[in-house]
Structure formats: structure tokens, C-alpha cells
Amino acid sequence: MKALMKTDKNIHGQLCLREVPEPSLTDDHSVKIKVHSAGICGTDVKILNGEHWCNAPVILGHEFSGVVTDIGDKVINVKIGDRVVAETGKQICGNCFYCNTNKSLMCDQRLSIGYGVDGAFAEYLVMRDTIVHKIPENISLEEAALCEPTANAVHACCDRTSVKPGDFVVVIGPGPIGLLCAQVAKALGAQVIIVGIDQDTSRLELAKRIGIDGVNSQKQDLPELVKTLSEGKGCDIVIEASGAKSVVSTAMDIVRKGGTIVQVGLIDGKPEFDYSWLALREITITGSFGHNWICWERALKLMSLNRINIKDMISDQFSLADWEKAFEIASSSRGMKVLFHPGK
Ligand SMILES: [Zn+2]
Ligand SMILES: [Zn+2]
């Protein structure tokens, strides 16, 4: 089968479309899936550029949907022909503090698909049954490929903070994760604005089209706007999804006393902000990484109930052969979500 691989972690910018053997079931609990759609994530771009660890040689891709083509003897949650998505933590120890407390993405032994072990930019992959989820009938396989980032957004909004109806939530960074966080927060009943800069113009327009008010912080004074919208108080929650170091102090400026900042984007380097505000203003800063089983079920339910718009977030679709063009768009702010169809 064809697979898009990072062949050498020391060579920057080099991926390779290779012919590799089709994977087979590894044990009684494994599920073989024919990949239908797989999304390019910011992490894939970082791996391409040598800015993110990977266990090369490895097939990239950790956001996908597909159809079950084979199952181990003890698999009971899915059958051949089912349309499915799967969580990313393919290998875990299964019996450490984190694995036993529903935080298996923190397991020291975790190897995720797409960089730790072979991922979804290939025609087939094999997963363990406990992390495979069935896709509700009214969700397309293209939309379902965005279940992973949607589950990230659910984890940020529901587990790492608790967005309540009527909360004023400011999401910084209008990329796919930011826009999904904004949509999930809105689905939970919050008042939401999403913040970008000049280069995000088309993304802010897309946000507007799917019902989220966008703000260009290079054209509008964000702290003033937040004050106006909150009667001088500040917002209840900031979700930081841009990964820009300088934004942390902005988040501190706009969050109300007793409010929460959720860091979702990965920041390089050390941000500067007034640490004393954590005590003086009782501000909580928390981080969000990944998802867990229930986040995936909630993400699928939100999609199925049409509470979030995934369809309009898919901007470009390619076969694996056109990977260079696909990664070029995914590396820019031009599109939103770029999908591969590895079977084509
Ligand atoms: Zn990702
Ligand atoms: Zn573990």
C-alpha cells in the first residue's frame, strides 16, 4: 500500500511517498481500518519541518476516519463494514497511574499514531479496539476525520475548564483547533469571539460564516472591546490556541478576576506576564492536551446533532500523491483543514 512517511527525523522538510506492506491484525483485540479521510494537523507540519519529535521511519497522520475491514476474535464494539474513527494513543502501558485514571495520553509508554507508530496517511492502519469509535450515520467520513481535533476542543472546554451557559469566552487563534474550541464553547451556551491578526482575514471570515464573531487584534483594540462586551469586567475564559508567546500577557489583560486561561496552543519559549496576578486576581492558568474516550463520544454527538459546523472547515482535499501541495496549504493560513484521501 502507499504511505506518506517521514523516513529520517534528522532530515528537515523531507517526506516520502513509499510502497509499504499492508498491516495485519496484531492480536485478538485489534481492528484493521481502511482509511477514507485523514487531516493534516499543525503537528504534521512541525514533523515535516523537523520541529516535533517523531519515531522515524514512521507513517504520519493522526486525524482520520475509515471503514473496518478486519477484526480480532475478541473485538465486540465494532464489526467489519462499520464506519469508524479512532483515538491516537495506539500503544500505552495500560496499568500506570495515568492509564488507570483515564489520562492515558500522559502514559510514559504512550506511542501515538502518526509520529510514535505508523499513522493514517496510508491506505490501512491497525488500532486496538478500546479506542475505536463508531461514526453516527448522519456524519460523513470527511467530517468524521475532524473528530480528533474536535475531541481536543471538547477536552479544553469541558475537562480543563468548565464552560457554562452565558460565559463570555475569548478564543485566541482562528486555526482549526481555535475555531473548534469556539464552536464547542458556543454549543455549551457561551458568548464567544475569536481573535486573529491580519494574516487570518480569510479564517476570521470563515468563522463569521459559521456563526462565530471574529476580531482582528491588529485593527481593533482587543482589551477595550472585551471591556465593552463585559461591562468593564473582562471575559470569563480565554482559550489560547495561537501558540504565540506574546499572547499570554494579552490573555492576562482580558480575563476577569477569578477567570481562567486555557492554554491549548504549543508555545515555543518562555512567555512574559505578571505572575503576581495569579494570586492578586485569582486567575487560573491551565493547559489542555489531547482528549479521552468520553471527549470522542461527545465530539461525535455534537457533530451528529449539528451543533458544530465541520463541513465548512474542510477547505482542501488531496490524494497522497499530491502531498507537497497539501502540506504547502496546511503550512499557510490560506485554507482551514486539508484532508488526504489515501485510497484515491
Ligand atoms: Zn493534531
Ligand atoms: Zn500507562
Side-chain angles (χ1 to χ4, degrees):
M1 65 170 187
K2 282 194 204 70
L4 187 60
M5 305 186 78
K6 179 91 175 176
T7 50
D8 185 338
K9 63 182 153 217
N10 297 314
I11 300 177
H12 295 185
Q14 188 53 53
L15 297 184
C16 188
L17 191 58
R18 281 211 176 152
E19 195 62 38
V20 298
E22 221 177 275
S24 1
L25 298 181
T26 46
D27 58 61
D28 288 346
H29 285 282
S30 53
V31 177
K32 182 170 172 176
I33 301 164
K34 184 169 171 50
V35 179
H36 180 280
S37 301
I40 301 181
C41 167
T43 305
D44 298 310
V45 175
K46 284 190 173 168
I47 294 170
L48 168 76
N49 295 332
E51 295 161 355
H52 187 285
W53 175 81
C54 78
N55 196 12
V58 69
I59 301 170
L60 303 198
H62 58 271
E63 308 175 355
F64 78 100
S65 65
V67 176
V68 176
T69 58
D70 201 2
I71 54 171
D73 286 345
K74 293 193 175 134
V75 174
I76 52 171
N77 60 329
V78 290
K79 56 184 190 312
I80 292 172
D82 279 350
R83 303 177 329 132
V84 294
V85 288
E87 295 168 48
T88 52
K90 180 172 172 176
Q91 284 183 28
I92 52 167
C93 84
N95 199 17
C96 67
F97 174 84
Y98 301 108
C99 287
N100 284 323
T101 53
N102 196 27
K103 294 183 177 68
S104 62
L105 285 192
M106 294 291 161
C107 174
D108 289 337
Q109 312 291 319
R110 170 182 63 93
L111 287 176
S112 283
I113 55 166
Y115 46 100
V117 289
D118 284 340
F121 293 167
E123 289 172 62
Y124 293 91
L125 82 172
V126 170
M127 301 298 286
R128 59 188 166 92
D129 56 356
T130 45
I131 56 172
V132 175
H133 300 254
K134 263 201 262 188
I135 303 169
E137 262 173 35
N138 65 338
I139 304 174
S140 71
L141 283 161
E142 286 84 357
E143 290 166 286
L146 271 75
C147 193
E148 195 270 348
T150 307
N152 274 304
V154 170
H155 185 53
C157 292
C158 300
D159 298 337
R160 303 304 298 152
T161 183
S162 179
V163 175
K164 300 279 193 300
D167 275 353
F168 179 20
V169 176
V170 176
V171 179
I172 302 177
I177 290 283
L179 193 46
L180 286 165
C181 285
Q183 292 202 68
V184 170
K186 189 182 172 197
L188 293 165
Q191 173 195 2
V192 183
I193 60 171
I194 191 161
V195 182
I197 53 178
D198 286 342
Q199 68 179 46
D200 300 317
T201 306
S202 65
R203 290 180 159 187
L204 292 173
E205 280 164 8
L206 170 63
K208 181 86 194 160
R209 279 205 301 284
I210 60 183
I212 309 284
D213 284 333
V215 177
N216 179 341
S217 63
Q218 288 175 313
K219 292 215 166 77
Q220 243 178 313
D221 185 334
L222 180 65
E224 274 310 309
L225 176 71
V226 170
K227 258 190 197 164
T228 309
L229 292 172
S230 60
E231 291 159 345
K233 183 159 56 74
C235 62
D236 300 291
I237 295 168
V238 178
I239 298 178
E240 203 304 291
S242 76
K245 197 162 56 172
S246 59
V247 166
V248 180
S249 65
T250 308
M252 295 291 280
D253 282 341
I254 61 174
V255 75
R256 69 164 167 80
K257 293 172 195 166
T260 300
I261 299 168
V262 187
Q263 186 63 46
V264 178
L266 299 179
I267 290 183
D268 284 327
K270 295 173 184 163
E272 272 178 35
F273 61 92
D274 191 340
Y275 197 71
S276 70
W277 284 19
L278 267 62
L280 294 172
R281 299 185 170 210
E282 295 196 336
I283 291 169
T284 301
I285 300 182
T286 182
S288 185
F289 176 78
H291 33 68
N292 53 40
W293 188 88
I294 190 65
C295 294
W296 282 70
E297 290 295 312
R298 291 194 208 285
L300 288 166
K301 196 81 191 192
L302 283 172
M303 290 183 192
S304 171
L305 293 170
N306 266 317
R307 301 293 162 86
I308 53 177
N309 180 335
I310 298 291
K311 202 188 263 173
D312 290 337
M313 287 184 59
I314 301 169
S315 56
D316 304 271
Q317 306 188 52
F318 292 98
S319 69
L320 285 180
D322 291 325
W323 69 267
E324 279 167 301
K325 217 185 297 169
F327 267 81
E328 190 203 309
I329 294 174
S331 310
S332 72
S333 315
R334 260 182 294 149
M336 182 53 82
K337 200 65 184 177
V338 182
L339 293 187
F340 281 124
H341 295 298
K344 281 185 185 158

